[in-house]
Amino acid sequence: IAQSQMASILGLPCICDFSQASEIAKISQFANAINSKTLIKTVSTKRSNNVLKNFKPKNLFASTSINHLLLDVNECDDFNTLAKTYPPLEDKTKDDLLNALKLGIIDTISSYHKHTSKNQKDMPFDIAEYGISNANYFLPLVLSLKEMDLSFISRLISYNPAKIMGFKDEGLIKENF
C-alpha cells in the first residue's frame, strides 16, 4: 500500500514513492548511457513524473496503468485485497498522471492486467497476491476518461506502443481510414 493516511489507518506497511522515482532516475541514466530503447512500466507517482519530466532521454518511454488513472489508495479501505497492486495505488496522483499523459511525459496506458485467483486474493492484506484482473474492462475504462478524446486515446493505447516497437504509422485509429 502507498505511503498514506490509509496505510496508517489500516496499520499496514507502506511503499514510499521515493523508491519508484529513484529507480526511474537510475533507469533513465542507464538508457541514456547505452542508447537503448527502454520502457518503464506503470509510472504511478507525482515524484516519478517529475523525474521523467527532467531526465527523460528520447529513447526512454513510460507507461501508466488504467488502475492508477481511475483508482486511488482509498480502494484499499477495509483491507480490500482486490485493490492491492504493485506499484500500489496512490493518494491524489490521478490528475498528475493525466497531465503527464497530455504533456507526453508518459507515452502509453496499459491494462496492467494480472490475473489472480480468488484464493490468492482472499487472504490477509499483507500476504494477499498483488494484481488486478481487468483486461476485460480495459477499453471501457479508458473510454471513461472524459479528459481525453478518442484520437488521443488511440495514440496512447495503440499508436504510441506500435511506434515504440518500431512500427511506422501503425495502430492509429482515425476517421475515414
Side-chain angles (χ1 to χ4, degrees), residues 2 4-12:
S4 65
Q5 185 176 3
M6 183 59 63
S8 296
I9 290 169
L10 297 176
L12 295 169

Side-chain angles (χ1 to χ4, degrees), residues 68-119:
H68 292 86
L69 289 169
L70 294 175
L71 305 174
D72 64 34
V73 71
N74 292 314
E75 304 296 326
C76 297
D77 195 11
D78 292 329
F79 300 97
N80 177 16
T81 59
L82 296 176
K84 182 181 179 185
T85 186
Y86 190 83
L89 298 172
E90 295 284 330
D91 190 21
K92 300 177 184 170
T93 60
K94 295 183 279 189
D95 290 339
D96 293 317
L97 293 172
L98 284 167
N99 192 44
L101 284 163
K102 290 174 185 174
L103 294 173
I105 296 166
I106 298 177
D107 306 285
T108 69
I109 301 174
S110 73
S111 68
Y112 200 56
H113 169 83
K114 181 176 185 257
H115 176 74
T116 49
S117 72
K118 182 143 175 71
N119 292 342

Side-chain angles (χ1 to χ4, degrees), residues 32 37 51 77 108 126:
N32 193 37
K37 209 183 267 191
V51 169
D77 195 11
T108 69
D126 58 336

Side-chain angles (χ1 to χ4, degrees), residues 108-150:
T108 69
I109 301 174
S110 73
S111 68
Y112 200 56
H113 169 83
K114 181 176 185 257
H115 176 74
T116 49
S117 72
K118 182 143 175 71
N119 292 342
Q120 295 170 307
K121 287 295 206 174
D122 195 16
M123 301 181 142
F125 197 94
D126 58 336
I127 62 172
E129 188 69 33
Y130 289 106
I132 296 177
S133 184
N134 67 356
N136 298 354
Y137 308 106
F138 177 64
L139 188 56
L141 290 172
V142 172
L143 293 173
S144 77
L145 296 168
K146 302 294 184 211
E147 299 86 352
M148 299 179 196
D149 64 19
L150 188 56

